[in-house]
C-alpha cells in the first residue's frame, strides 16, 4: 500500500490537471457558441459552426488529403519498417545498436529543419511533385514509431514457435506471415494508430510541402486562424478531439496506455 | 553467416529510405551553408550573428525554452510525484488524462489559448465583468503567450517522463527510511529526488529541445516582434526566399539541440557518478 498524499500536494496536482484540461473544455464550449466571432463564454448555443466546417470546401478537401497521406505514409513505413524491426530484434549482428539509433533518428531531427530540407532537396533540387514529397516526408517521420512499437511487440514474441514452424518445413517467408505477423498483430495496429496520429497532426514538416491543391488540414487550420476569428476552428477542434479519443481507445486495447510512461 | 545476409536484406529498404530522404536532404542543407565562392567558409555564420536582430531571435528562443522547461519541472515534478503515489486504478486515469492532450493536435492546443487570451477571450471577459479593467488587455502575440502555450504543450510530456521513473521507486525504501526516523522532507530530498533524476533529465531534454524547435505555438501565439528560430526559418524560406539564411538557421538549430542534449546528458552522468 502506498502512503496517502498530503492535502497540499493533492490540491497542487488537481490545479495542474485543471490547467491541462480546462483549455480543451473551453474550446468545446466555444465551438457551440452562437456569436459570429470567437468569444468565451459564448452568447448562446448553436450548431451552425459545426455545419460551417462542411461548408468550407478547403477543410473538407484537406481533411481528405491529411487522411490519405497519413494512411499511405503509415502503410509505406510499415512495409519498410516491419522487416527492419524484425531484423533488429531477432538477430544479433555487429553495428546493431548503431542501426537501432539510425532507425529512431528521425524523431531527433527538428521537424521544421527536416521539412525545410525536403523542400530544398526534393522539390527545388530534384523537381519532385509536392504531393510525393509530402508523402515521403510523412513516411520518414512515421518510421521511428513503427520501429519502436513493433520491436517492443517482437520482444514479447516467443521465437521458439517460429523455430518449430521452420523445423516442420515451412519456408522463412511463409513462417513470417503465418506465425510471426499474426502474433504481433496488436502491436502492428498500435503502431499504425500512433503513426497515423503523428502524421495527421504534423505541422512543421507539412508546412514546407504544400503547393497548389496540396495542403493538409492542420496547415489549413493555421492559415484560417490568421484571417478569420470565428468558432469554425473550435468546432473542427472538437471533431479532432473526438477522433483522438477513439484512437486512444484502440491504443488502450492493443498497446496499453502505460506505453507512454516508458 | 547466412543470417547476416538476411539481416542486411531486411534492413536495406528502411535504410535506403532514411539515407535518400533524411540524411541526404539534411546534409545538402547543412553543406550549403559552408559553401563559399572558394572552398569552405564560416562567413555565412559570422554574417548571421553580426546582425543584432538574429542574435536577439536566437537568445529569445533559448530564453523561452529555458523558462518553459523550468516551469514544466516546477509544475510537473510534484504532480508526477502525486500520480506515482495514488492507487493503480486512479493512476491509470491520470495517465489517460495526460496522454490525451499529448495526442491532440498542437494546432488545437495552441488555438485553445487564443480563445482564453484573446480580446474577447475568457480572461478579458472576466476582468471586464469584474470592472478590473476598462479596455481588453493585449494578452496574445507576446512572449508570455508563447511560454504559456509551450508549457501547455510540453507539460504532459514532462509528467509522463517523471511518472515512468517515480512509479518504480520501491515503497520499501521509503518505509525503511520512515521506520529509521526520517522526516518527510528528508525522504523527499534523500530518496525520491535523487531516484527521480533520470526522469527529470529525459523530461527536461524533451521539453527544452521541443521548445527550441517548436513552430506551431510561436506562430499562433507569438507576434511579429516575437520571432523565434523556427518561425525565422519559415519566414526566410517562404516569405523572403532567402534560402541561405534559412539553411543557416536550420543548421544552428540542429547544432544547438545536439549540444544541449549532450550537455544535459553529461551533467547527469556526472551527478550519477
Amino acid at each position: 500500500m502506498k502512503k496517502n498524499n498530503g492535502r497540499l500536494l493533492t490540491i497542487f496536482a488537481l490545479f495542474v490537471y485543471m490547467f491541462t484540461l480546462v483549455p480543451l473544455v473551453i474550446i468545446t464550449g466555444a465551438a457551440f457558441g452562437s456569436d459570429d466571432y470567437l468569444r468565451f463564454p459564448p452568447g448562446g448555443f448553436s450548431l451552425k459552426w459545426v455545419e460551417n466546417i462542411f461548408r468550407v470546401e478547403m477543410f473538407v478537401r484537406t481533411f481528405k488529403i491529411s487522411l490519405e497521406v497519413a494512411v499511405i505514409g503509415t502503410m509505406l513505413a510499415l512495409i519498410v519498417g516491419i522487416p527492419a524491426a524484425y531484423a533488429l530484434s531477432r538477430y544479433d549482428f555487429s553495428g546493431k545498436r548503431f542501426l537501432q539509433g539510425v532507425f529512431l533518428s528521425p524523431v531527433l531531427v527538428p521537424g521544421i529543419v527536416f521539412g525545410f530540407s525536403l523542400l530544398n532537396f526534393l522539390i527545388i533540387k530534384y523537381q519532385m511533385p509536392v504531393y510525393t514529397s509530402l508523402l515521403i516526408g510523412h513516411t520518414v517521420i512515421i518510421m521511428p514509431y513503427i520501429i519502436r512499437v513493433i520491436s517492443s511487440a517482437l520482444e514479447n514474441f516467443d521465437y521458439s514457435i517460429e523455430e518449430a514452424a521452420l523445423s516442420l518445413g515451412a519456408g522463412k517467408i511463409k513462417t513470417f506471415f503465418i506465425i510471426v505477423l499474426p502474433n504481433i498483430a496488436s502491436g502492428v495496429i498500435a503502431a499504425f494508430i500512433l503513426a497515423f496520429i503523428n502524421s495527421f497532426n504534423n505541422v512543421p514538416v507539412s508546412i514546407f510541402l504544400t503547393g497548389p491543391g496540396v495542403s493538409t488540414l492542420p496547415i489549413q487550420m493555421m492559415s484560417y486562424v490568421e484571417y478569420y476569428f470565428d468558432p469554425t476552428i473550435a468546432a473542427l477542434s472538437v471533431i479532432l478531439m473526438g477522433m483522438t479519443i477513439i484512437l486512444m481507445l484502440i491504443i488502450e486495447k492493443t498497446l496499453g496506455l502505460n506505453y507512454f510512461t516508458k | 553467416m547466412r543470417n547476416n545476409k538476411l539481416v542486411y536484406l531486411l534492413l536495406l529498404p528502411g535504410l535506403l529510405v532514411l539515407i535518400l530522404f533524411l540524411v541526404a536532404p539534411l546534409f545538402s542543407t547543412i553543406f550549403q551553408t559552408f559553401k563559399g565562392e572558394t572552398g569552405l567558409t564560416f562567413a555565412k555564420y559570422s554574417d548571421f550573428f553580426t546582425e543584432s536582430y538574429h542574435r536577439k531571435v536566437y537568445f529569445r528562443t533559448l530564453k523561452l525554452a529555458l523558462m518553459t522547461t523550468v516551469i514544466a519541472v516546477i509544475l510537473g515534478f510534484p504532480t508526477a510525484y502525486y500520480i506515482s503515489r495514488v492507487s493503480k486504478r486512479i493512476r491509470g486515469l491520470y495517465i489517460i488524462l495526460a496522454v490525451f492532450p499529448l495526442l491532440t493536435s498542437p494546432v488545437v492546443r495552441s488555438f485553445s489559448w487564443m480563445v482564453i487570451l484573446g480580446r474577447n477571450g475568457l480572461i478579458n471577459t472576466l476582468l471586464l465583468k469584474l470592472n478590473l479593467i476598462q479596455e481588453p488587455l493585449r494578452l496574445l502575440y507576446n512572449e508570455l503567450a508563447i511560454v504559456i502555450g509551450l508549457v501547455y504543450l510540453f507539460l504532459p510530456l514532462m509528467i509522463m517522463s517523471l511518472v515512468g521513473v517515480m512509479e518504480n521507486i520501491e515503497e520499501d525504501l521509503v518505509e525503511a527510511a520512515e521506520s529509521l526516523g526520517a522526516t518527510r522532507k528528508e525522504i523527499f530530498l534523500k530518496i525520491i529526488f535523487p531516484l527521480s533524476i533520470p526522469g527529470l533529465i529525459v523530461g527536461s531534454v524533451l521539453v527544452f529541445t521541443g521548445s527550441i524547435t517548436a513552430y506551431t505555438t510561436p506562430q499562433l501565439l507569438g507576434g511579429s516582434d516575437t520571432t523565434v528560430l523556427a518561425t525565422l526559418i519559415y519566414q526566410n524560406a517562404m516569405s523572403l526566399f532567402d534560402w541561405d539564411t534559412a539553411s543557416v538557421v536550420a543548421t544552428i538549430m540542429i547544432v544547438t539541440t545536439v549540444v544541449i542534449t549532450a550537455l544535459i546528458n553529461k551533467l547527469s552522468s556526472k551527478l550519477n557518478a
Side-chain angles (χ1 to χ4, degrees), chain A residues 123 130 134 205-212 214-216 219, chain B residues 234 238:
Chain A
I123 298 180
V130 174
L134 182 66
V205 175
S206 306
I207 199 148
F208 289 101
L209 308 174
T210 56
V214 182
S215 186
T216 66
I219 305 299
Chain B
Y234 184 77
M238 305 305 263

Side-chain angles (χ1 to χ4, degrees), chain A residues 3 17 20 114 117 201 261, chain B residues 21 29 84-85 94 103 152 164:
Chain A
K3 286 274 178 305
Y17 263 82
T20 55
F114 178 52
S117 301
N201 289 341
T261 58
Chain B
F21 302 125
T29 300
S84 71
R85 284 167 64 91
Y94 275 112
L103 297 180
Y152 184 64

Side-chain angles (χ1 to χ4, degrees), chain A residues 69-87 103 135-136 138-151 153-154 176-177 181 184-196 199, chain B residues 10-11 13-15 17-18:
Chain A
V69 169
V71 171
I72 300 176
T74 307
M75 294 296 231
L76 291 174
L78 279 171
I79 291 171
V80 294
I82 291 179
Y86 177 77
F103 275 100
L135 210 52
I136 289 172
H138 278 243
T139 307
V140 173
I141 54 169
I142 285 168
M143 199 101 91
Y145 297 96
I146 303 284
I147 300 280
R148 195 181 295 160
V149 178
I150 306 254
S151 295
L154 283 167
F176 181 80
F177 282 102
L181 206 54
I184 55 162
S186 67
V188 176
I189 295 169
F192 191 100
I193 303 289
L194 265 187
F196 178 88
S199 159
Chain B
L10 290 170
L11 292 172
L15 279 179
V17 169
L18 290 180

Side-chain angles (χ1 to χ4, degrees), chain B residues 170-187:
Chain B
E170 294 288 336
E171 190 62 19
D172 293 355
L173 224 56
V174 177
E175 272 165 20
E178 259 170 2
S179 70
L180 292 171
T183 61
R184 283 188 90 118
K185 195 176 149 199
E186 278 173 320
I187 291 175

Side-chain angles (χ1 to χ4, degrees), chain A residues 1-6 9-10 12-17 19-21 23-24 26-27 30 37-41 80 83-84 86-88 91-94 99 102-103 105-106 108-110 112-114 116-122 124-125 128 136 139-140 143 172 194 197 201 203-204 207-208 210 218 221-222 225-226 229-230 233-234 237 240-241 244-245 248 251 257-258 260-262, chain B residues 2-4 6-8 10-11 13-15 17-18 20-22 24-26 28-29 32 74-75 78-79 81-86 91 94-109 111-116 120-122 125 141 148 151-152 155-156 159-160 163-164 167 169 171 175 178 184 213 215-216 219-220 230 233-234 237-238 243 246-247 250 253-254 257:
Chain A
M1 262 312 280
K2 298 235 167 179
K3 286 274 178 305
N4 280 334
N5 284 301
L9 189 62
T10 310
F12 187 87
L14 289 178
F15 162 79
V16 167
Y17 263 82
F19 170 73
T20 55
L21 296 173
L24 300 178
I26 286 174
I27 213 172
Y37 58 93
L38 198 64
R39 63 178 247 190
F40 194 89
V80 294
Y86 177 77
L88 287 170
Y91 300 106
D92 273 315
F93 49 93
S94 53
L99 284 171
V102 169
F103 275 100
S105 68
L108 298 175
V109 178
I112 193 97
V113 172
F114 178 52
F116 170 66
S117 301
L118 281 184
L119 168 70
N120 225 339
F121 192 72
L122 296 184
I124 309 285
K125 203 168 177 184
M128 275 227 212
I136 289 172
T139 307
V140 173
M143 199 101 91
K172 268 211 146 121
L194 265 187
I197 291 175
N201 289 341
V203 170
I207 199 148
F208 289 101
T210 56
M221 287 168 77
M222 283 186 74
V225 172
E226 254 179 68
F229 211 61
D230 66 35
I233 297 292
S237 300
L240 292 182
M241 286 192 277
T244 308
I245 291 175
M248 267 180 78
I251 296 180
L257 288 167
N258 279 334
F260 293 97
T261 58
K262 274 177 205 152
Chain B
R2 231 168 47 97
N3 269 351
N4 259 346
L6 179 70
V7 165
Y8 293 124
L10 290 170
L11 292 172
L15 279 179
V17 169
L18 290 180
L20 286 178
F21 302 125
L22 179 75
L26 283 178
S28 158
T29 300
Q32 212 170 291
I74 293 172
L75 294 179
T79 309
Y81 182 53
Y82 171 82
I83 296 171
S84 71
R85 284 167 64 91
V86 295
R91 198 188 309 159
Y94 275 112
I95 289 175
I96 290 174
L97 291 177
V99 171
F100 176 65
L102 219 51
L103 297 180
T104 302
S105 163
V107 178
V108 171
R109 288 198 281 160
F111 180 69
S112 69
W113 283 96
M114 296 177 83
V115 181
I116 295 171
N120 303 299
L122 181 67
T125 311
Y141 313 123
I148 292 176
V151 169
Y152 184 64
L155 185 57
I159 292 177
M160 297 310 268
V163 170
E167 65 182 0
I169 296 177
E171 190 62 19
E175 272 165 20
E178 259 170 2
R184 283 188 90 118
T213 59
Y215 171 77
T216 311
Q219 175 68 24
L220 288 177
I233 295 179
Y234 184 77
M238 305 305 263
W243 298 82
S247 304
M253 188 186 266
I254 289 190
T257 52

